[in-house]
Amino acid sequence: MAEVLVLAEHSGGEVRKVTGELLTAARRFGEPAAVWAGPGAEEGQGRLAEFGAVKVYVAGGAEFDDYVVAPTAELLAALAERVSPAAVLVAGTIQGKEIAGRLAVKIGSGVLTDAVDVTAGGGRLVAEQSAFGGATIVHSAVRQGVPIVAVRPNSVPAEPAPAAATLEDAGVTVSEAAKGARITERVVAEKSGRPDLTEASIVVSGGRGVGGAENMALIEKLADCLGAAVGASRAVTDAGWYPHQFQVGQTGKTVSPQLYMAIGISGAIQHRAGMQTSKTILAVNKDPEAPIFELADFGVVGDLFNVVPQLIEEIGKRAQG
Ligand SMILES: Cc1cc2nc3c(=O)[nH]c(=O)nc-3n(C[C@H](O)[C@H](O)[C@H](O)COP(=O)(O)OP(=O)(O)OC[C@H]3O[C@@H](n4cnc5c(N)ncnc54)[C@H](O)[C@@H]3O)c2cc1C
């Protein structure tokens, strides 16, 4: 059976959730082989085994941590030429998409990004993408070379399927050309204790309707009683009411949680672009004509300052009961 290369997303030895999702998807097309760039493979091996990695190609050199994305693209290109995989799957993160693009150029293959599912159709890999606020579902296949697909986090449920995850030295030397952009400093973001926005199962986002920075505390309170991540519309981040790294949308983060709560958000196309693939969408807005209601599975027409505290109270009661 042909191998399917899966680029493991990890932070040191900690495997990110999306990697389990990619390995689950990879099993549909062949034998999943994880690719580990940077130190920490021994610590991550257990998680990779849990989700079906038959082997793990390890390139443990510090250069994969020190030089942005180019060394990882080179690593994948060398492995793709050596093992002729059925496909290469990467996470549809900003970094993952850049690696996918570089890899495609290096090996002369087609690349598909922002896939929300991957299936086998007519003997080839078919990627599903969502366009125009979710109004159009696109199915695409790569016609040249090895399909390279960037799959959005939270799109494919991770299902365990234990395998050996045997570590194997990738045996790849990074070229000087790939060392053009060096990382000189890393600043660890302050941890809020909330889940990562792009990986959270529930996201609660606040929009201009919250009326000011001080009222984002209400959004945080709702998020905390659900164990959710906090997001924001661009109106909120541009106004300085909440940090930019929490912006959801075309020019912000792309999220695809089980539940997305849009509080005081109108539902502009650029906001939808970042959340339209959420499994269930709930909107609270005082304007019954707000476009977000076209997309929402559940909508509450009302003043958020009236609705949200009641929601928090009710969730609190249920959590106790
Ligand atoms: C190139 C480009 C890129 C962009 N990228 C992004 C992006 O990545 N993400 C993004 O979000 N936007 C993006 N935008 C901006 C986007 O077009 C919208 O302007 C923005 O999403 C609006 O944010 P909002 O819904 O919070 O505000 P508004 O559109 O002002 O909506 C506020 C909503 O709150 C409701 N409301 C007000 N008060 C209350 C209340 N008390 N209770 C309940 N509801 C209330 C109102 O009825 C209204 O529907 C981009 C725009 C451009 C041009």
Side-chain angles (χ1 to χ4, degrees), residues 207-209 233-235 247-252 264-268 270-271 284-287 290 302-305:
R208 203 194 312 262
S233 72
R234 181 158 159 182
Q247 183 186 314
V248 172
Q250 185 186 315
T251 44
I265 293 178
S266 61
Q270 297 90 351
H271 187 78
V284 178
N285 198 303
K286 67 179 183 185
D287 174 8
D303 187 327
L304 70 93
F305 296 105

Short mmCIF file of all heavy atoms in Angstrom, two decimals, residues 207-209 233-235 247-252 264-268 270-271 284-287 290 302-305, ligand 1:
data_model
loop_
_atom_site.label_atom_id
_atom_site.label_comp_id
_atom_site.label_asym_id
_atom_site.label_seq_id
_atom_site.Cartn_x
_atom_site.Cartn_y
_atom_site.Cartn_z
N GLY A 207 -18.71 40.77 18.59
CA GLY A 207 -18.62 41.75 17.51
C GLY A 207 -18.84 43.15 18.02
O GLY A 207 -18.92 43.39 19.23
N ARG A 208 -18.96 44.09 17.08
CA ARG A 208 -19.12 45.50 17.44
C ARG A 208 -20.31 45.72 18.38
O ARG A 208 -20.33 46.68 19.16
CB ARG A 208 -19.30 46.35 16.17
CG ARG A 208 -18.91 47.80 16.38
CD ARG A 208 -19.41 48.71 15.25
NE ARG A 208 -19.15 48.24 13.92
CZ ARG A 208 -18.13 48.62 13.15
NH1 ARG A 208 -17.25 49.47 13.62
NH2 ARG A 208 -18.02 48.16 11.92
N GLY A 209 -21.27 44.81 18.31
CA GLY A 209 -22.45 44.91 19.17
C GLY A 209 -22.12 44.92 20.65
O GLY A 209 -22.94 45.37 21.46
N SER A 233 -14.71 39.77 15.95
CA SER A 233 -14.77 40.24 14.56
C SER A 233 -13.68 41.29 14.37
O SER A 233 -13.10 41.79 15.34
CB SER A 233 -16.14 40.86 14.27
OG SER A 233 -16.24 42.10 14.95
N ARG A 234 -13.45 41.64 13.12
CA ARG A 234 -12.42 42.64 12.85
C ARG A 234 -12.80 44.01 13.39
O ARG A 234 -11.93 44.80 13.77
CB ARG A 234 -12.16 42.70 11.34
CG ARG A 234 -11.10 43.69 10.98
CD ARG A 234 -10.49 43.40 9.66
NE ARG A 234 -9.85 44.58 9.12
CZ ARG A 234 -9.26 44.64 7.95
NH1 ARG A 234 -9.22 43.57 7.19
NH2 ARG A 234 -8.71 45.73 7.53
N ALA A 235 -14.11 44.29 13.43
CA ALA A 235 -14.54 45.58 13.98
C ALA A 235 -14.01 45.72 15.41
O ALA A 235 -13.58 46.79 15.84
CB ALA A 235 -16.06 45.68 13.95
N GLN A 247 -8.82 37.58 16.06
CA GLN A 247 -9.75 37.93 14.98
C GLN A 247 -10.07 36.70 14.13
O GLN A 247 -9.19 35.96 13.70
CB GLN A 247 -9.12 39.00 14.08
CG GLN A 247 -10.05 39.45 12.97
CD GLN A 247 -9.36 40.40 12.02
OE1 GLN A 247 -8.68 41.33 12.47
NE2 GLN A 247 -9.51 40.18 10.74
N VAL A 248 -11.36 36.52 13.89
CA VAL A 248 -11.82 35.42 13.04
C VAL A 248 -12.24 36.00 11.70
O VAL A 248 -12.94 37.01 11.66
CB VAL A 248 -13.04 34.71 13.70
CG1 VAL A 248 -13.66 33.69 12.75
CG2 VAL A 248 -12.62 34.05 15.00
N GLY A 249 -11.82 35.38 10.60
CA GLY A 249 -12.27 35.86 9.30
C GLY A 249 -11.20 35.77 8.24
O GLY A 249 -10.12 35.22 8.46
N GLN A 250 -11.53 36.37 7.12
CA GLN A 250 -10.66 36.34 5.94
C GLN A 250 -9.25 36.79 6.25
O GLN A 250 -8.28 36.20 5.77
CB GLN A 250 -11.29 37.25 4.89
CG GLN A 250 -10.61 37.27 3.55
CD GLN A 250 -11.24 38.33 2.67
OE1 GLN A 250 -12.47 38.45 2.59
NE2 GLN A 250 -10.41 39.12 2.01
N THR A 251 -9.12 37.84 7.03
CA THR A 251 -7.79 38.35 7.36
C THR A 251 -7.40 38.00 8.80
O THR A 251 -6.48 38.59 9.36
CB THR A 251 -7.73 39.88 7.13
OG1 THR A 251 -8.91 40.47 7.65
CG2 THR A 251 -7.61 40.21 5.67
N GLY A 252 -8.12 37.05 9.37
CA GLY A 252 -7.81 36.58 10.72
C GLY A 252 -7.69 35.07 10.72
O GLY A 252 -7.24 34.48 9.76
N GLY A 264 -23.39 39.63 18.69
CA GLY A 264 -23.30 41.02 18.23
C GLY A 264 -22.43 41.17 17.01
O GLY A 264 -21.71 42.15 16.85
N ILE A 265 -22.50 40.18 16.14
CA ILE A 265 -21.71 40.17 14.88
C ILE A 265 -22.70 40.15 13.72
O ILE A 265 -23.64 39.33 13.71
CB ILE A 265 -20.80 38.92 14.83
CG1 ILE A 265 -19.71 39.02 15.90
CG2 ILE A 265 -20.18 38.74 13.44
CD1 ILE A 265 -18.77 37.84 15.97
N SER A 266 -22.51 41.05 12.74
CA SER A 266 -23.49 41.17 11.65
C SER A 266 -23.42 40.00 10.67
O SER A 266 -24.42 39.62 10.08
CB SER A 266 -23.29 42.49 10.91
OG SER A 266 -21.99 42.55 10.35
N GLY A 267 -22.21 39.45 10.48
CA GLY A 267 -22.09 38.32 9.54
C GLY A 267 -21.61 38.77 8.17
O GLY A 267 -22.05 38.23 7.15
N ALA A 268 -20.70 39.74 8.13
CA ALA A 268 -20.12 40.18 6.86
C ALA A 268 -19.39 39.01 6.21
O ALA A 268 -18.89 38.12 6.90
CB ALA A 268 -19.13 41.32 7.12
N GLN A 270 -16.56 38.70 4.94
CA GLN A 270 -15.17 38.48 5.38
C GLN A 270 -15.12 37.79 6.73
O GLN A 270 -14.18 37.09 7.04
CB GLN A 270 -14.41 39.81 5.46
CG GLN A 270 -14.26 40.53 4.14
CD GLN A 270 -15.41 41.50 3.87
OE1 GLN A 270 -16.41 41.52 4.57
NE2 GLN A 270 -15.25 42.29 2.82
N HIS A 271 -16.13 38.00 7.56
CA HIS A 271 -16.17 37.26 8.84
C HIS A 271 -16.57 35.82 8.59
O HIS A 271 -15.96 34.88 9.11
CB HIS A 271 -17.14 37.93 9.83
CG HIS A 271 -17.07 37.30 11.19
ND1 HIS A 271 -16.06 37.57 12.08
CD2 HIS A 271 -17.85 36.35 11.79
CE1 HIS A 271 -16.23 36.82 13.17
NE2 HIS A 271 -17.31 36.08 13.01
N VAL A 284 -26.53 35.69 18.21
CA VAL A 284 -27.35 36.59 19.03
C VAL A 284 -27.18 37.98 18.43
O VAL A 284 -26.06 38.49 18.35
CB VAL A 284 -26.88 36.59 20.51
CG1 VAL A 284 -27.74 37.57 21.33
CG2 VAL A 284 -26.94 35.19 21.11
N ASN A 285 -28.30 38.55 17.99
CA ASN A 285 -28.21 39.87 17.35
C ASN A 285 -29.56 40.58 17.52
O ASN A 285 -30.60 39.94 17.41
CB ASN A 285 -27.87 39.70 15.86
CG ASN A 285 -27.34 40.98 15.25
OD1 ASN A 285 -28.00 42.02 15.29
ND2 ASN A 285 -26.13 40.90 14.70
N LYS A 286 -29.51 41.87 17.76
CA LYS A 286 -30.79 42.57 17.99
C LYS A 286 -31.51 42.92 16.68
O LYS A 286 -32.67 43.30 16.70
CB LYS A 286 -30.57 43.81 18.86
CG LYS A 286 -29.77 44.92 18.22
CD LYS A 286 -29.67 46.08 19.19
CE LYS A 286 -28.92 47.24 18.55
NZ LYS A 286 -28.70 48.34 19.46
N ASP A 287 -30.77 42.77 15.57
CA ASP A 287 -31.37 43.08 14.26
C ASP A 287 -31.83 41.78 13.57
O ASP A 287 -30.99 40.98 13.14
CB ASP A 287 -30.33 43.81 13.40
CG ASP A 287 -30.80 44.06 11.97
OD1 ASP A 287 -31.99 43.80 11.69
OD2 ASP A 287 -29.98 44.49 11.15
N ALA A 290 -30.08 40.85 10.30
CA ALA A 290 -28.61 40.70 10.23
C ALA A 290 -28.26 39.48 9.39
O ALA A 290 -28.85 38.40 9.56
CB ALA A 290 -28.04 40.56 11.64
N GLY A 302 -32.30 39.61 19.89
CA GLY A 302 -32.41 40.28 21.18
C GLY A 302 -31.13 41.02 21.52
O GLY A 302 -30.11 40.88 20.83
N ASP A 303 -31.22 41.80 22.58
CA ASP A 303 -30.06 42.57 23.04
C ASP A 303 -29.11 41.62 23.77
O ASP A 303 -29.51 40.91 24.70
CB ASP A 303 -30.56 43.66 24.00
CG ASP A 303 -29.45 44.61 24.40
OD1 ASP A 303 -28.29 44.17 24.51
OD2 ASP A 303 -29.75 45.79 24.61
N LEU A 304 -27.86 41.60 23.33
CA LEU A 304 -26.91 40.65 23.90
C LEU A 304 -26.73 40.86 25.39
O LEU A 304 -26.43 39.91 26.13
CB LEU A 304 -25.57 40.68 23.14
CG LEU A 304 -24.65 41.89 23.26
CD1 LEU A 304 -23.64 41.70 24.38
CD2 LEU A 304 -23.91 42.10 21.96
N PHE A 305 -26.91 42.11 25.85
CA PHE A 305 -26.71 42.38 27.28
C PHE A 305 -27.87 41.81 28.12
O PHE A 305 -27.77 41.69 29.33
CB PHE A 305 -26.56 43.89 27.52
CG PHE A 305 -25.32 44.42 26.86
CD1 PHE A 305 -25.40 45.17 25.69
CD2 PHE A 305 -24.07 44.13 27.38
CE1 PHE A 305 -24.25 45.63 25.05
CE2 PHE A 305 -22.92 44.59 26.75
CZ PHE A 305 -23.00 45.33 25.58
C1 LIG B 1 -10.38 43.16 2.95
C2 LIG B 1 -11.24 43.01 4.19
C3 LIG B 1 -10.94 42.00 5.06
C4 LIG B 1 -11.72 41.83 6.21
N1 LIG B 1 -11.44 40.81 7.07
C5 LIG B 1 -12.25 40.59 8.12
C6 LIG B 1 -12.01 39.51 9.01
O1 LIG B 1 -11.04 38.75 8.88
N2 LIG B 1 -12.88 39.33 10.02
C7 LIG B 1 -13.97 40.13 10.23
O2 LIG B 1 -14.72 39.90 11.19
N3 LIG B 1 -14.18 41.18 9.40
C8 LIG B 1 -13.36 41.44 8.38
N4 LIG B 1 -13.58 42.53 7.60
C9 LIG B 1 -14.59 43.51 8.03
C10 LIG B 1 -16.01 43.13 7.69
O3 LIG B 1 -16.33 43.57 6.41
C11 LIG B 1 -16.98 43.76 8.70
O4 LIG B 1 -16.79 45.15 8.70
C12 LIG B 1 -16.82 43.26 10.13
O5 LIG B 1 -16.84 41.84 10.14
C13 LIG B 1 -17.97 43.78 10.96
O6 LIG B 1 -17.81 43.37 12.29
P1 LIG B 1 -19.07 43.24 13.22
O7 LIG B 1 -20.04 42.25 12.66
O8 LIG B 1 -18.57 43.02 14.60
O9 LIG B 1 -19.68 44.73 13.19
P2 LIG B 1 -20.99 45.31 12.51
O10 LIG B 1 -21.06 44.94 11.08
O11 LIG B 1 -21.05 46.74 12.88
O12 LIG B 1 -22.15 44.51 13.23
C14 LIG B 1 -22.48 44.65 14.58
C15 LIG B 1 -23.73 43.84 14.81
O13 LIG B 1 -24.06 43.87 16.19
C16 LIG B 1 -25.46 43.99 16.31
N5 LIG B 1 -25.71 44.63 17.61
C17 LIG B 1 -25.43 45.89 18.00
N6 LIG B 1 -25.73 46.07 19.30
C18 LIG B 1 -26.23 44.89 19.74
C19 LIG B 1 -26.72 44.43 20.98
N7 LIG B 1 -26.75 45.23 22.08
N8 LIG B 1 -27.16 43.15 21.07
C20 LIG B 1 -27.14 42.33 20.01
N9 LIG B 1 -26.66 42.70 18.79
C21 LIG B 1 -26.22 43.96 18.67
C22 LIG B 1 -25.90 44.85 15.15
O14 LIG B 1 -27.26 44.60 14.83
C23 LIG B 1 -24.95 44.36 14.05
O15 LIG B 1 -25.52 43.29 13.28
C24 LIG B 1 -12.81 42.70 6.45
C25 LIG B 1 -13.09 43.72 5.54
C26 LIG B 1 -12.31 43.87 4.43
C27 LIG B 1 -12.65 44.96 3.44
#
